[in-house]
Amino acid sequence: MNTSFHPTPRTLMGPGPSDVHPRVLGAMGKATIGHLDPEFQGLMEDIKDLMRYTFRTSNALTLPLSAPGSAAMEASFANLLEPGDKAVVCINGVFGMRMAENVRRMGGELVTVEDEWGTQVDPEKLRSALVANPDAKVVGFVHAETSTGVCSDVKTLCALAKEHGCLTIVDSVTGLAGIELEVDHWQADVTYSGTQKCLSAPPGISLITFSQAAADRVKARNTPVQSWFLDLSLLMAYWDGEGGGRTYHHTAPVNAMYGLHEALLMIKEQGLEESWTKHRTMHNTLVENLSGLGLEFVVDAAYRLPQLNLVKVPEGVDEAAVRQQLLKEFNLEIGAGLGAFAGKVWRVGLMGYSARQENVQLCTSALRACLPGL
Ligand SMILES: *Cc1c(COP(=O)(O)O)cnc(C)c1O
């Protein structure tokens, strides 16, 4: 029988989506208005303003995209690269691999710098690659590698790229609002994020910001951006429209934008640094609790992401069965390992509204119940 869908409320402690704050869900349930309605245009301006606050940037070209984080990754490469352009991509997990795939598909010339899963992008390896490839134009890397729980040094990597005349593409889908990110101070050129990780909004929207140098590169292109939908110059006429008024490009997902706005507003109210501190504090509690159960963390504490924790599956434990039991008996979702870590780790997310004391305690007691040997 076809009936309305009533999802069982879950506690989301995987790699995303994270728990959505009730205020965000409430905002999304408000009346839909036209996407060219003056009131909605006012909201668009406020979203851009709040995005600049959260990214710590004054970049004029800062806007949300009506599609998830993966679309922002694609938009970054599609707009900066022209066919034949050389791009260096640093790979230390799944999302670096996806960046590389984007370069291939855009017809760019790909150079990869590879680091072991579970470790940071090595700046020395990037330096060698840049020395060996003086014609490289773009460097891409992941700030917070969600597949491995590793944080890379954005400041150092951006400085290196700049030294060698390259623009940077920084994936901070999991980083934004969870750990320190200083777009202007660190001189990142294109930085993007998404709604469903540390912003506590539902999946589906991404956030992207371009430095002046990156915006100039897009303007100076000889070939049109291969993607019509993700062409920044067309999107700007819709999101900016200063003076001339906005022109129709696509219909923005109006209610999803209400949600993004509320999520960003909550970060501003709380204070961005307070948001970073919250993630760190909840991480410390999780470490204390799970270490008390005899569980081990995979990533070195020096570059571990507080918001995404790789926990070793104890010897002889069926990791998938534990995840199923957590979901069935505790309505708790945690993530599986990916790639090199498949079957060996769980990924426990503490992102945004999921980074709460009650979640940490639930996760601890539920794991204790599912692992009777501990
Ligand atoms: C989640 C994620 C993405 C993709 O975002 P979607 O919203 O799933 O498309 C990209 N990069 C990183 C590092 C992520 O964690």
Side-chain angles (χ1 to χ4, degrees), residues 185-203:
H185 184 215
W186 295 348
Q187 296 190 284
D189 289 300
V190 179
T191 313
Y192 60 86
S193 189
T195 42
Q196 54 143 327
K197 312 276 168 95
C198 296
L199 294 184
S200 319

Side-chain angles (χ1 to χ4, degrees), residues 269-288:
E269 285 172 0
Q270 175 184 38
L272 182 59
E273 287 171 20
E274 198 44 53
S275 179
W276 300 337
T277 306
K278 172 187 85 170
H279 287 89
R280 174 63 58 189
T281 308
M282 287 302 110
H283 166 78
N284 289 342
T285 310
L286 185 77
V287 171
E288 203 174 297

Side-chain angles (χ1 to χ4, degrees), residues 197-238:
K197 312 276 168 95
C198 296
L199 294 184
S200 319
I205 303 292
S206 49
L207 306 86
I208 195 163
T209 183
F210 282 64
S211 69
Q212 193 54 51
D216 290 345
R217 173 77 56 88
V218 178
K219 275 191 212 113
R221 291 179 65 97
N222 295 312
T223 55
V225 173
Q226 51 133 247
S227 164
W228 176 85
F229 186 67
L230 298 173
D231 182 336
L232 255 297
S233 51
L234 299 177
L235 281 167
M236 275 319 274
Y238 180 49

Side-chain angles (χ1 to χ4, degrees), residues 294-350:
L295 292 168
E296 288 170 41
F297 287 67
V298 174
V299 176
D300 192 307
Y303 46 81
R304 186 189 288 163
L305 289 172
Q307 67 272 46
L308 200 281
N309 297 277
L310 261 70
V311 176
K312 265 185 208 153
V313 176
E315 206 64 44
V317 168
D318 176 348
E319 74 82 24
V322 170
R323 278 186 296 110
Q324 276 163 23
Q325 193 183 351
L326 289 173
L327 192 66
K328 205 163 146 238
E329 293 177 13
F330 297 89
N331 287 312
L332 172 64
E333 179 180 280
I334 64 169
L338 288 181
F341 290 123
K344 299 183 182 137
V345 306
W346 291 300
R347 287 184 300 155
V348 180
L350 290 171

Side-chain angles (χ1 to χ4, degrees), residues 15-16 67-73 95-96 98 142-147 171-175 192-197 203-206 351:
S70 308
M73 181 189 287
F95 292 99
R98 287 194 180 177
V142 179
H143 178 202
E145 225 333 324
T146 322
S147 62
D171 178 323
S172 196
V173 174
T174 285
Y192 60 86
S193 189
T195 42
Q196 54 143 327
K197 312 276 168 95
I205 303 292
S206 49
M351 299 193 274

